């Protein structure tokens, strides 16, 4: 297992992230062994001093610290199958992203091969690796994180270790992406409705920015209500939300815009109303969310 800061690092997978990681390591003076399924992707890195390996196992054999970044966890498992026992005694940092359950499965594979395992997720683009612009979220082996903190710090100065439960980094990563997708989706659905009403879409931008800022400002209170299972209402109540959501569904239907997300929320509000929960905040739908 880990004995201290590495001066030699292996990078498996030289797509956008793996190549960026390799470039940053080389720029910081690390001897960097590289391997990619398609060998041509190593060429540019070799010109900058990386050492190419003929196989993933050969690449792993040269370093105590191994960083893996491939498309998805199925690809990550395929690479680990090839590496086999060469991983024994190494630290594997997997920057491939996936689900928490997927991370747990990779951790089992790493442990079966005698490696210490740290899971990592890159929040940001490949061009931001090596800067504070990219946030790296880690979970898994604290010993591995601490032993290689200086090396990992070169990939981003805004790294966070989220705990030893290995799926946690992916939980946070997907939760962040979920918020982005759902707000972007709501924005796009409203732009389509603006188009149907003949209203210029750009006119909505300042209003969208205003309501998202107000939503952001309320997150801490919402989380407190959920944590305390207490949903006091200050203005209106669930019956008022049901009316507004009904109007939203009606407007979107008239515009031929999909109603699924708001119709789903309207259904949850109705469930709460049916159980007699009118004088509660919208937050109380958390009680109806789980299927
Ligand atoms: N790019 C970003 O800005 C970004 C940002 C945040 C997170 N991520 C995450 O980081 C991870 C890597 O992304 P990326 O952008 O670097 O991907 P990418 O540029 O598409 O490269 C994918 C890499 O995976 C390899 N690969 C795919 N299937 C494989 C298999 N079965 N066996 C061996 N190697 C295989 C590819 O090898 P070949 O060259 O042989 O095809 C290639 O090196 C992903 O999980 C992604 O979601 C990426």
């Amino acid at each position: 297992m880990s004995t201290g800061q590495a001066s030699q690092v292996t990078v498996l997978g030289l797509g956008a992230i793996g190549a960026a990681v390799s470039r940053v390591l080389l720029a910081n003076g690390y001897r960097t062994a590289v391997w990619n399924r398609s060998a041509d992707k190593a060429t540019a890195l070799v010109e900058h001093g990386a050492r190419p390996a003929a196989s993933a196992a050969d690449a792993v054999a040269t370093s105590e610290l191994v960083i893996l970044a491939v498309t998805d966890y199925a690809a990550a498992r395929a690479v680990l199958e090839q590496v086999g026992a060469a991983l024994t005694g190494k630290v594997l940092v997997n920057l491939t992203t996936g689900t928490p359950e997927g991370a747990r499965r990779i951790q089992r594979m790493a442990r079966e091969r005698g490696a210490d395992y740290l899971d990592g997720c890159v929040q940001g683009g490949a061009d931001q690796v090596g800067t504070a612009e990219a946030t790296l979220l880690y979970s898994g082996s604290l010993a591995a994180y601490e032993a290689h903190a200086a090396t990992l710090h070169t990939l981003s100065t805004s790294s966070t270790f989220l705990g030893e439960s290995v799926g946690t980094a992916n939980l946070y990563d997907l939760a962040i992406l979920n918020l982005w997708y759902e707000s972007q989706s709501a924005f796009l659905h409203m732009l389509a409705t603006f188009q149907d009403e003949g209203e210029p879409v750009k006119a909505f931008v300042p209003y969208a920015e205003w309501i998202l800022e107000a939503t952001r400002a309320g997150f801490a209170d919402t989380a407190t209500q959920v944590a305390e299972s207490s949903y006091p209402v200050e203005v209106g109540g669930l019956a008022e939300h049901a009316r507004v959501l009904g109007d939203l569904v009606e407007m979107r239907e008239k515009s031929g815009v999909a109603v699924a997300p708001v119709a789903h929320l309207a259904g949850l509000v109705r469930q709460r109303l049916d159980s007699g929960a009118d004088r509660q905040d919208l937050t109380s739908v958390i009680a109806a969310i789980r299927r």
Side-chain angles (χ1 to χ4, degrees):
M1 294 294 166
S2 178
T3 55
Q5 296 300 329
S7 56
Q8 164 105 21
V9 182
T10 288
V11 180
L12 303 176
L14 302 174
I17 293 292
V21 165
S22 302
R23 281 193 297 272
V24 169
L25 291 171
L26 288 165
N28 281 277
Y30 287 88
R31 292 193 308 278
T32 307
V34 294
W35 172 86
N36 192 66
R37 179 179 61 177
S38 314
D40 59 308
K41 284 205 178 123
T43 309
L45 292 163
V46 170
E47 283 167 8
H48 286 88
R51 297 162 190 217
S55 70
D58 284 355
V60 167
T62 62
S63 313
E64 181 184 303
L65 174 61
V66 178
I67 298 177
L68 173 64
V70 286
T71 309
D72 54 24
Y73 280 170
R77 292 196 299 274
V79 174
L80 293 189
E81 291 290 356
Q82 292 173 48
V83 170
L87 262 184
T88 304
K90 313 286 182 177
V91 167
L92 176 64
V93 177
N94 185 13
L95 297 184
T96 311
T97 50
T99 63
E101 185 50 35
R104 289 189 277 272
R105 194 169 163 192
I106 299 273
Q107 182 188 51
R108 285 195 293 276
M109 282 185 83
R111 283 178 172 169
E112 282 161 18
R113 286 159 180 74
D116 207 1
Y117 183 68
L118 185 65
D119 201 89
C121 297
V122 180
Q123 276 285 331
D127 56 342
Q128 294 169 324
V129 171
T131 74
E133 301 296 306
T135 295
L136 267 84
L137 307 173
Y138 294 101
S139 58
S141 168
L142 177 60
Y145 182 75
E146 287 180 343
H148 295 285
T151 309
L152 298 177
H153 198 68
T154 64
L155 306 184
S156 168
T157 47
S158 54
S159 299
T160 309
F161 181 76
L162 293 165
E164 297 205 75
S165 176
V166 76
T168 308
N170 281 301
L171 170 67
Y172 278 70
D173 186 59
L174 285 174
I176 292 165
L177 291 171
N178 189 100
L179 270 186
W180 181 77
Y181 279 122
E182 291 207 25
S183 48
Q184 194 70 0
S185 171
F187 185 51
L188 288 170
H189 281 76
M190 277 307 101
L191 294 189
T193 309
F194 266 53
Q195 285 176 324
D196 183 66
E197 288 282 339
E199 185 66 11
V201 293
K202 287 184 181 174
F204 183 47
V205 171
Y207 299 90
E209 289 174 344
W210 165 73
I211 192 60
L212 276 191
E213 176 55 26
T215 308
R216 185 205 65 75
F219 279 155
D221 283 347
T222 300
T224 300
Q225 286 186 3
V226 170
E228 295 174 357
S229 301
S230 166
Y231 321 109
V233 66
E234 285 172 16
V235 187
L238 288 175
E240 188 172 328
H241 288 302
R243 276 192 298 281
V244 176
L245 287 162
D247 288 345
L248 254 175
V249 169
E250 191 182 317
M251 179 176 76
R252 282 166 69 148
E253 271 172 346
K254 186 256 153 204
S255 296
V257 172
V259 298
V262 274
H264 175 66
L265 183 59
L268 296 179
V269 169
R270 266 196 307 278
Q271 274 184 49
R272 294 297 296 158
L273 284 170
D274 290 347
S275 66
D278 177 26
R279 297 299 304 163
Q280 289 196 340
D281 193 85
L282 182 68
T283 312
S284 72
V285 300
I286 187 92
I289 275 176
R290 271 181 216 86
R291 279 178 291 162

